[in-house]
Amino acid sequence: MSISSAMQTGVSGLNANSVAVGEISENIANANTTGYKRSFAQMVTMTPSGGLDAPSGVNAVVSSDVTNGGAVIPTSSATDFAVNGNGFFVVSGRANTSVESDYVLTRAGSFKPDENGDLVNSAGYFLSGYPYTDGTLGSIDGNSFNGLKTVNVTDATLSAKATTTVSVQGNLPSQETGNATPGAPFTSSSQYFTPLGAAKRLEYSWQPTATQNQWDVTVSDGDGVPYGQVTVDFAASGPNAGAPVSYSGVTNLATAPGAFSMDTTTGVMSLTMNDGGTTQPIDVGLGALNSFDGMTQFAGDFTPQKFDTDGSSAGALTRMEVDDTGTMYGIFDNGQRQALYKIPLAHVANPNGMQEVDGDAYRLTRNSGDFTIHKANEGPVGTISSGTLEGSNVDIAQELSDLIRTQRAYSTNAKIVTTMDEMLDETTRLKR
């Protein structure tokens, strides 16, 4: 190898190690950057192709350590998200875009609502998810970004929903204990909602009859106007003691257009409510025969009935929460909880082959291989935790050690250049 070739080799070492120092500096600068993945320069030998006299050297190939996660740090914000395990958040540079090239992947999950309520992180990327429609999630195309929408936390409203079913649970005191006597009914009430979201009540009056273990229940509206009456007999012995064994004496007391009937096998009363000339059907379940899932009769006191009802008034979003499967729920001021979005995670065959772009994000390339989109905690992707952030995967001690080693290598290559310069200088003095 000639003197000039040796000098070129030393120069390649200077260039390669300067690239390595640059990557180390970037890692140290981003040691506290959310979701940052360290990058590093690998030294690759440059094999001469022109024979033994051709200069060889070294080249720096920059790679990123994308697969190793950073520490998960708790925060006080419900819209801070971290991925536990494999996977990336799908984000876009523009809200609700349909252009596939606008989508990139990131692990930086520090999202905040902007002036429109769209969740955007500090780098300006909008979080993407699949919206629920009336509590139902549509189909998901796991091989493209189709169907994704920008997650919004302020536009959600909950329209009023009329009550259609009421399930009654409770205990009536056994008459043999003396806690129930004819002429002294036990009363309770349940709330229901009209189609316009107005809250009204149904009243239940349980009257013990002169027959042991038999009760007459009368259902009325909130003003005490009756809809109907049913006689309930409870078993006094045997394996079903305390459970209803028969429903009889079904009497319709409603005025038109209201109505009352009952399926004496299932224990479901069918009411047609008369609210100012309009009708609303509601099924009220007292419990199936010989079962303990509804009303029972055991010794003791009257247990105020527990009512499980559907329907709700109109509601405005007050806050949101996200579970580990990526389902974002809206909590409304009417006490209802409804699924709003499914936040997916993208899986990449070779994450280290992605192209790094500004803002701790990555773009898919040919080297990254195929990608698929999954629900969190399904398939190859991990879970999502709310109120946490993933920190950088930079190890400061390792970076400082690498910095010292790289600086030494740079100085040694610089010595090659200065030595070759002295040899060339000595050569030019030979003719003097």
Side-chain angles (χ1 to χ4, degrees), residues 131-386:
Y132 281 83
T133 302
D134 295 329
T136 302
L137 183 66
S139 61
I140 295 176
D141 183 357
N143 299 107
S144 73
F145 299 113
N146 294 334
L148 288 169
K149 299 293 182 181
T150 297
V151 176
N152 187 286
V153 296
T154 59
D155 283 348
T157 57
L158 192 65
S159 58
K161 185 182 295 185
T163 297
T164 59
T165 60
V166 178
S167 297
V168 184
Q169 288 181 310
N171 183 68
L172 299 167
S174 174
Q175 291 162 279
E176 64 184 11
T177 62
N179 292 337
T181 58
F186 296 96
T187 61
S188 60
S189 66
S190 65
Q191 182 175 256
Y192 74 94
F193 295 94
T194 69
L196 296 180
K200 296 191 176 183
R201 303 201 72 81
L202 286 174
E203 295 183 351
Y204 308 86
S205 174
W206 291 87
Q207 171 68 60
T209 70
T211 303
Q212 286 285 317
N213 308 308
Q214 185 181 83
W215 297 75
D216 287 334
V217 55
T218 303
V219 183
S220 308
D221 65 14
D223 296 324
V225 178
Y227 280 97
Q229 186 179 80
V230 175
T231 299
V232 187
D233 287 281
F234 292 91
S237 60
N240 297 320
V245 293
S246 72
Y247 295 106
S248 61
V250 180
T251 305
N252 178 21
L253 303 175
T255 57
F260 178 89
S261 62
M262 183 176 193
D263 186 328
T264 57
T265 301
T266 62
V268 176
M269 299 183 293
S270 298
L271 284 68
T272 301
M273 314 300 296
N274 179 9
D275 292 321
T278 62
T279 59
Q280 175 185 354
I282 297 179
D283 290 337
V284 179
L286 301 182
L289 296 179
N290 301 309
S291 72
F292 300 94
D293 59 353
M295 292 300 299
T296 59
Q297 180 199 247
F298 290 105
D301 295 329
F302 171 70
T303 302
Q305 282 126 15
K306 176 183 177 182
F307 301 96
D308 185 10
T309 66
D310 62 359
S312 66
S313 61
L317 185 69
T318 58
R319 62 184 179 87
M320 46 71 59
E321 57 187 30
V322 177
D323 65 14
D324 60 359
T325 68
T327 303
M328 174 181 287
Y329 293 94
I331 311 301
F332 296 85
D333 58 6
N334 60 1
Q336 297 296 307
R337 181 175 183 263
Q338 181 171 294
L340 302 178
Y341 291 93
K342 174 69 75 172
I343 300 173
L345 294 177
H347 177 263
V348 181
N350 177 27
N352 292 329
M354 293 190 294
Q355 176 189 357
E356 186 176 2
V357 296
D358 289 342
D360 294 328
Y362 302 90
R363 192 176 300 280
L364 297 168
T365 66
R366 178 177 298 178
N367 291 333
S368 64
D370 295 333
F371 85 99
T372 50
I373 298 178
H374 303 265
K375 298 176 184 177
N377 201 27
E378 289 186 8
V381 299
T383 60
I384 295 176
S385 59
S386 176

